[in-house]
């Protein structure tokens, strides 16, 4: 049973959170409106808003409009004094952002991965975090979110495996960050972070807010997230779209299986197959842009690689759309720009395999390259708002 002091403290923290969340949801609000919406006494509202201002959570943002009489002060979240950090752990590089609690980017920093070993990647992760946390003007960092490739345990903050990174096994990433920085840290699958950022962007634009969405990230690998009936549906080992088999007799994948989609429809997969099959016929390694250019010029090997890309990818998307009630498919990532050049061919393969030939649009995301990090920040913000305790107010 709680003592009287404990009960009073618990009620106090609860009321502080009620006031904070009411201000957060409103954007800006007067004390009188706070009293009406929370049903707290005027004395409690005045005392607790002053307390939250002194702690740096709230600030006065201006006055109510009008010119007659005394205008009331407006309260809002102190955006300058409170930040969330989002980090995207991606093979192309690590991007870190600092956002306010409404997901507006304040600062950004990107660092390359020098060596694909666990120690080197962790070093790069900490470098990105160190740099973003050292930026002036971000105030108190309330939480850190990390977008991670591959299977993970969201609840325990463990990244089980990233096949392209040597010795990356059961990395307790959230724990490592919390020990180093003393800031609560949350992990989420990187396509889920992307989909959160995409949904937030579309909500602000009030367009294309579909109920069921599949988002595919196309970079060095292939990742998937889905919104089904309004909820992001992926967790743990699920939605490893890039490791679904499209050719049982195909090339070996980094995961150890053969014929994964990632082998045929990712930048790494196509470049690696070009190296394996070119047999020294080319003076140098042209990279994905060069392979695409050679395909456009009619080169037989590169043309076949590109045809296999849109054929296997279109078929895989059709299986996904036949299994789930998908309204729209969104493609994001560096390799998505290559896929865009074959949009017509991709759509032809995709639509030819759709049950009852229902129309499902394939769109290309308009989000920036920092979107996964921004989505990770949004994920951390949601968790921080849910768990706010204001324990620092305890004497």
């Amino acid at each position: 049973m709680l003592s009287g002091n404990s009960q009073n403290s618990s009620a106090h923290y609860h009321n502080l959170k009620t006031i904070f969340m009411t201000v957060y949801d409103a954007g800006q609000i007067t004390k009188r409106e706070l009293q009406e919406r929370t049903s707290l006494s005027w004395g409690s509202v005045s005392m607790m808003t002053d307390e939250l201002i002194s702690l740096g959570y709230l600030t006065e943002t201006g006055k109510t409009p009008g010119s007659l009489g005394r205008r009331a002060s407006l309260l809002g979240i102190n955006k300058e004094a409170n930040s969330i950090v989002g980090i995207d752990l991606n093979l192309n590089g690590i991007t870190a952002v600092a956002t306010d609690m409404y997901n507006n980017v304040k600062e950004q920093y990107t660092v390359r991965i020098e060596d694909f070993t666990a120690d080197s990647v962790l070093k790069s992760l900490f470098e990105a975090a160190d740099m973003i946390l050292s930026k002036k003007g971000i105030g108190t960092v309330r939480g850190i979110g990390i977008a991670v490739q591959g299977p993970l345990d969201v609840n325990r903050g463990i990244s089980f495996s990233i096949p392209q990174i040597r010795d990356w096994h059961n990395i307790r990433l959230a724990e490592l960050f919390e020990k180093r920085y003393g800031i609560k840290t949350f992990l989420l699958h990187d396509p889920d972070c992307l989909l959160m950022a995409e949904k937030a962007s579309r909500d602000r634009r009030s367009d294309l807010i579909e109920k069921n969405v599949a988002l595919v990230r196309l970079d060095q690998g292939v990742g998937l997230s889905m919104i089904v009936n309004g909820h992001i549906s992926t967790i743990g080992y699920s939605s490893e779209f890039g490791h679904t088999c499209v050719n049982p007799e195909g090339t070996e994948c980094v995961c150890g299986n053969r014929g994964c989609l990632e082998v045929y429809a990712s930048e790494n997969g196509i470049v690696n197959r070009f190296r394996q099959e070119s047999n020294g016929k080319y003076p140098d390694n042209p990279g994905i842009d060069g392979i695409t250019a050679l395909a456009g010029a009619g080169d037989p090997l590169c043309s076949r690689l590109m045809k296999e890309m849109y054929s296997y990818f279109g078929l895989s998307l059709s299986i996904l759309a036949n299994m789930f009630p998908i309204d729209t498919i969104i493609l994001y990532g560096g390799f998505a720009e290559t896929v865009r050049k074959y949009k017509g061919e991709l759509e032809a393969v995709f639509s030819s395999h759709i049950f009852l030939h229902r129309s499902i649009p394939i769109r290309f995301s308009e989000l920036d390259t920092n979107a996964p990090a921004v989505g990770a920040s949004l994920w951390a913000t949601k968790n921080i708002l849910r768990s706010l305790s204001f324990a620092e107010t305890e004497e």
Side-chain angles (χ1 to χ4, degrees):
M1 181 179 294
L2 291 174
S3 67
N5 287 337
S6 296
Q7 289 176 334
N8 290 337
S9 295
S10 179
H12 182 70
Y13 299 153
H14 173 77
N15 290 339
L16 283 173
K17 183 171 183 178
T18 298
I19 288 175
F20 178 86
M21 290 306 302
T22 303
V23 175
Y24 182 85
D25 291 338
Q28 56 181 7
I29 192 172
T30 66
K31 288 184 180 180
R32 186 63 65 190
E33 290 169 329
L34 265 176
Q35 183 188 11
E36 293 172 355
R37 296 190 190 186
T38 62
S39 298
L40 294 170
S41 69
W42 175 255
S44 294
V45 168
S46 294
M47 178 186 70
M48 291 183 184
T49 51
D50 288 345
E51 188 174 358
L52 290 171
I53 289 172
S54 69
L55 290 168
Y57 282 97
L58 301 183
T59 187
E60 290 190 1
T61 59
K63 299 288 186 180
T64 53
S67 58
L68 297 176
R70 185 178 178 183
R71 296 187 295 160
S73 296
L74 289 165
L75 296 171
I77 302 301
N78 192 333
K79 297 179 182 179
E80 286 71 30
N82 296 278
S83 293
I84 305 290
V85 165
I87 301 174
D88 177 30
L89 169 51
N90 184 257
L91 300 177
N92 286 330
I94 294 169
T95 298
V97 299
T99 74
D100 63 25
M101 298 188 83
Y102 291 100
N103 221 224
N104 299 302
V105 175
K106 297 179 177 182
E107 299 284 353
Q108 178 173 328
Y109 181 77
T110 300
V111 59
R112 293 190 61 82
I113 297 175
E114 298 300 331
D115 184 31
F116 291 99
T117 63
D119 288 343
S120 179
V121 172
L122 285 171
K123 181 181 178 182
S124 296
L125 272 171
F126 291 139
E127 177 188 341
D130 289 344
M131 288 301 298
I132 206 71
L133 289 167
S134 70
K135 297 287 187 180
K136 294 181 179 179
I138 66 172
T140 301
V141 175
R142 302 292 178 184
I144 297 173
I146 308 178
V148 185
Q149 295 179 255
L152 63 149
D153 186 324
V154 172
N155 295 324
R156 295 190 294 161
I158 300 173
S159 174
F160 293 128
S161 172
I162 301 177
Q164 297 90 339
I165 302 175
R166 295 190 300 279
D167 303 320
W168 190 277
H169 304 294
N170 300 325
I171 304 295
R172 295 182 172 272
L173 203 51
E175 182 180 312
L176 291 173
F177 267 72
E178 289 172 2
K179 284 184 177 179
R180 184 180 178 97
Y181 301 110
I183 301 171
K184 191 66 178 173
T185 301
F186 308 90
L187 308 189
L188 192 64
H189 201 205
D190 61 317
D192 292 349
C193 292
L194 265 170
L195 196 47
M196 292 184 73
E198 185 77 36
K199 187 176 186 306
S201 172
R202 288 169 182 270
D203 286 347
R204 285 195 294 270
R205 298 201 312 265
S206 298
D207 71 328
L208 296 173
I209 307 173
E210 292 89 1
K211 205 171 186 181
N212 303 308
V213 179
L215 183 144
V216 182
R217 184 176 190 179
L218 296 165
D219 281 312
Q220 301 293 337
V222 179
L224 168 71
S225 182
M226 293 188 294
I227 292 178
V228 177
N229 295 327
H231 300 284
I232 292 180
S233 63
T234 59
I235 190 168
Y237 287 98
S238 67
S239 291
E240 286 298 329
F241 189 48
H243 296 289
T244 54
C245 181
V246 295
N247 182 359
E249 306 301 321
T251 304
E252 185 175 354
C253 179
V254 292
C255 73
N257 292 329
R258 286 193 171 275
C260 292
L261 175 63
E262 200 161 285
V263 171
Y264 299 94
S266 73
E267 182 174 335
N268 261 1
I270 292 173
V271 169
N272 288 339
R273 289 179 60 231
F274 175 86
R275 289 171 181 163
Q276 293 168 12
E277 299 182 34
S278 59
N279 297 319
K281 295 178 182 178
Y282 301 81
D284 53 23
N285 180 12
I288 194 62
D289 291 338
I291 292 170
T292 306
L294 286 168
D299 179 85
L301 171 59
C302 296
S303 296
R304 176 169 59 81
L305 292 176
M306 290 296 105
K307 182 177 180 180
E308 289 176 343
M309 178 274 291
Y310 66 72
S311 297
Y312 283 128
F313 188 42
L315 177 63
S316 299
L317 290 177
S318 72
I319 294 171
L320 185 69
N322 287 334
M323 290 178 64
F324 297 96
I326 302 300
D327 299 316
T328 297
I329 293 172
I330 301 172
L331 306 183
Y332 171 93
F335 187 63
E337 291 308 304
T338 298
V339 175
R340 190 194 291 265
K341 298 172 184 176
Y342 296 89
K343 187 173 186 287
E345 294 91 334
L346 173 66
E347 289 177 329
V349 173
F350 172 68
S351 60
S352 69
H353 293 286
I354 294 295
F355 181 63
L356 297 180
H357 301 288
R358 64 191 182 98
S359 178
I360 302 172
I362 297 176
R363 308 185 192 279
F364 290 82
S365 176
E366 299 175 6
L367 296 181
D368 295 336
T369 56
N370 67 6
V374 171
S377 173
L378 181 57
W379 172 243
T381 301
K382 288 180 178 292
N383 281 280
I384 290 299
L385 291 176
R386 189 183 302 120
S387 61
L388 275 176
S389 66
F390 297 103
E392 68 266 43
T393 64
E394 186 174 3
E395 297 182 357

